Amino acid sequence: MTKPVLISFKLCPYVQRSVINLLEKKVDYDIKYIDLANKPDWFLKISPFGKVPVLQVGDDVIFESAVINEYLDETSAPALHPKDPIQKAKHRSWTEFASALLVDQYGWTMAKEKTDSDKKREELLSKFKILEASLPSSTSNSLFFAGSKMHLVDTAFAPFFMRLQFLADHNPELYLLKDFPKIQKWSETLLSLPSVKNSVLPEVPKEYLEFIKAHHSWMGGIL
C-alpha cells in the first residue's frame, strides 16, 4: 500500500476521526497541517469542498472523513466495521448521529447569546437521551458502542467526547454527561485509548479554548 498523506487542520474533529483510525490500524502515514483561514493553492486544487480531511494515496485523492475511513477499513487490518450487513449499516447510521452532535457542539460553543447557547445545550442533552438508550449495558469498567470491542463508529464519537472534556477540564459546569452513565463510561473508555490520546497535538486543548474565545461567543466569555 502506498504511504498515505493526510491533510489536516489541527482543530478539526473530522480529521481526528481518520487519525484515530490510522493509529488503531498502525498504518504508516504522513500528515500535513494547513491553515483553513489561509488555504494554500495546492490544497484548493485537490479538495473539491475546500475542507479537510483529504487523503492522498499516490496520485489519487479521497475527501470526506467517512469515505476516508471506509477506504482505510477496506485496505488495512484489523477491520473495524462489523461483518454483518445490517449491523454495519446501523453503525454507519450512528456515525451520522455523531456528526450531528459535532454540529450541535459547535453551535453551543459559538452562540453569541446565552439564550442561543442554552438552546444548543438542550439539543445536545436531547440527543444524549436517545444515545444513552441505544447503548448496551456493561458490568466492566469499559464500554464501546457495540459492547466490549472497538469499531469504526467509536472513532466517529471520540472527537466529540474529547472536546466535551476540554471544556469540562476548564470549567466543570460545562460537563454534560453526569446524568448519562453509559455515555460517560463510553467517553472515559475512548479517551483512555492511546490511539485517541495521540490523535491530536499537545497544544490542541489550549488552542481549542482560544478558538472559542476568539469568536467572541457567550461561552468564550466564561472560559
Side-chain angles (χ1 to χ4, degrees):
M1 179 179 173
T2 303
K3 188 176 182 179
V5 179
L6 186 67
I7 301 168
S8 171
F9 172 63
K10 282 194 291 185
L11 298 183
C12 179
Y14 298 96
V15 174
Q16 189 182 355
R17 293 174 169 182
S18 297
V19 175
I20 296 168
N21 193 3
L22 287 160
L23 293 175
E24 279 290 323
K25 294 173 177 291
K26 297 179 172 57
V27 173
D28 185 21
Y29 73 100
D30 288 326
I31 190 163
K32 288 182 181 179
Y33 294 99
I34 66 167
D35 180 1
L36 287 179
N38 187 24
K39 300 170 187 174
D41 289 340
W42 63 263
F43 172 72
L44 293 173
K45 289 178 181 178
I46 66 170
S47 178
F49 291 137
K51 299 190 301 183
V52 291
V54 168
L55 189 73
Q56 292 178 296
V57 185
D59 293 330
D60 295 306
V61 173
I62 307 168
F63 56 97
E64 290 298 303
S65 64
V67 180
I68 290 170
N69 284 342
E70 293 275 349
Y71 164 76
L72 292 171
D73 205 55
E74 291 174 357
T75 57
S76 304
L80 296 180
H81 253 330
K83 290 183 178 180
D84 179 70
I86 191 69
Q87 292 303 318
K88 186 184 293 186
K90 287 173 68 176
H91 281 210
R92 285 172 172 148
S93 297
W94 283 103
T95 294
E96 291 302 309
F97 192 89
S99 296
L101 284 176
L102 282 170
V103 171
D104 286 345
Q105 186 177 59
Y106 183 82
W108 179 45
T109 60
M110 293 291 115
K112 299 298 184 185
E113 303 294 334
K114 184 178 186 301
T115 52
D116 293 332
S117 183
D118 288 345
K119 181 180 178 182
K120 282 297 180 183
R121 181 180 181 275
E122 290 305 313
E123 289 175 9
L124 282 167
L125 294 176
S126 294
K127 286 186 173 69
F128 288 169
K129 292 177 183 178
I130 297 169
L131 189 56
E132 179 81 5
S134 301
L135 290 172
S137 298
S138 173
T139 56
S140 71
N141 292 326
S142 64
L143 179 65
F144 293 96
F145 179 82
S148 60
K149 181 183 176 183
M150 185 176 183
H151 288 86
L152 202 58
V153 65
D154 292 288
T155 71
F157 281 89
F160 171 80
F161 291 140
M162 182 174 279
R163 281 151 186 77
L164 274 188
Q165 196 61 51
F166 290 162
L167 295 170
D169 287 344
H170 193 75
N171 185 341
E173 292 182 6
L174 297 175
Y175 189 64
L176 302 185
L177 301 183
K178 58 184 177 62
D179 295 326
F180 305 95
K182 288 193 286 187
I183 301 178
Q184 186 171 348
K185 182 183 286 190
W186 182 25
S187 173
E188 291 170 353
T189 300
L190 293 180
L191 296 183
S192 72
L193 298 175
S195 61
V196 175
K197 289 180 178 180
N198 296 324
S199 63
V200 296
L201 294 171
E203 62 268 26
V204 164
K206 180 181 178 181
E207 290 190 7
Y208 176 67
L209 298 178
E210 292 300 324
F211 179 82
I212 296 172
K213 292 177 183 178
H215 284 75
H216 306 291
S217 65
W218 177 83
M219 186 180 291
I222 66 169
L223 287 175

